[in-house]
Amino acid sequence: MRVTVLGYQSPYPGPQGATPGYLIETDEVKLLLDCGSGVLSQLGVHLPVYEVDALLLSHYHHDHVADVGVLQYGLMVHQLFGQRPADKPLPIYAPDKPEGQTKTLTYRDATRFFPVHAETSLSIGDAHISFLRTDHGDGDPCYAMRLVANGKTLVYGADSGPGTNWSGFADGADLFICEGTYLDHNLPSRPNGHLSVRQAAELAQAHHCRSLLITHLFHGYPESDVLAQAEAFVAGPVYAARIGLKIEL
């Protein structure tokens, strides 16, 4: 399994940047996890948009879905060009709420919406995917994803506060993609549905993950600060997300 970081910044993309989006390639399929602002242009560096087999969205906050509309336009054009069959719309797996958002995910023959919830388990090619609702506020759901393919396990934590119960979900992941929205100096005194870099490292270490990718970072954070505050994770490699980073599992 190969992971390529297409975008990782939040709440908005910095210069030449992009908000969350990750290309996951297995032996059989190419999956896009989240599709934030700038992700589509970064995807094109690695493969044509019409070669993506499925899009999985963790939730509907703008920094995670901003490029979905232009993705739909792009796929429609490639169907007109004959590069993607008109009878092969891209499946978009995403939370079943709010309804106003779900209605936008089926677009002509380009895309089809398939709802997911905490009990959903699905297979796309050789990738087997399950979901966990995270502590990301009391409103609409946000889902972490556990992908298993070719004997390797990837956990994408999406957006998550300290109240998420990761037991049995993140345990032993070969790679944990975990948000580190805050550094020590700007961590709010009360939890607000996000983690700090330090909390992400402690979480990955506690769940015996084999490597850690810290993401959902403000574009102005120095990489050296991110890595320094991830010192609690000692079980394996730790990466600070950057656009174009590739990790082989």
Side-chain angles (χ1 to χ4, degrees), residues 5 7 21 24 52 90 129-132 150 197 231 244:
V5 178
I24 312 300
V52 174
L90 180 76
I129 307 161
S130 54
F131 299 84
L132 173 73
N150 311 123
V197 170
E231 61 187 355

Side-chain angles (χ1 to χ4, degrees), residues 160-196:
S160 169
T164 303
N165 181 7
W166 294 104
S167 295
F169 194 86
D171 295 348
D174 292 288
L175 176 66
F176 188 15
I177 304 177
C178 189
E179 70 144 281
T181 298
Y182 301 111
L183 296 177
D184 290 348
H185 75 272
N186 60 3
L187 177 65
S189 58
R190 300 180 64 180
N192 69 345
H194 289 288
L195 298 171
S196 71

Side-chain angles (χ1 to χ4, degrees), residues 101-171:
Q101 293 282 352
T102 66
K103 288 181 177 179
T104 68
L105 297 184
T106 293
Y107 180 75
R108 298 191 179 183
D109 294 324
T111 58
R112 290 289 182 274
F113 166 61
F114 296 90
V116 303
H117 45 78
E119 292 75 33
T120 299
S121 179
L122 59 92
S123 294
I124 306 172
D126 57 351
H128 307 284
I129 307 161
S130 54
F131 299 84
L132 173 73
R133 183 162 181 169
T134 67
D135 169 28
H136 189 45
D138 297 327
D140 299 320
C142 175
Y143 294 115
M145 306 172 200
R146 182 180 176 96
L147 290 84
V148 180
N150 311 123
K152 298 294 184 179
T153 298
L154 162 71
V155 172
Y156 172 45
D159 286 5
S160 169
T164 303
N165 181 7
W166 294 104
S167 295
F169 194 86
D171 295 348

Side-chain angles (χ1 to χ4, degrees), residues 81-96:
F81 290 169
Q83 293 163 311
R84 187 178 180 98
D87 61 353
K88 189 181 178 183
L90 180 76
I92 301 179
Y93 299 92
D96 56 1

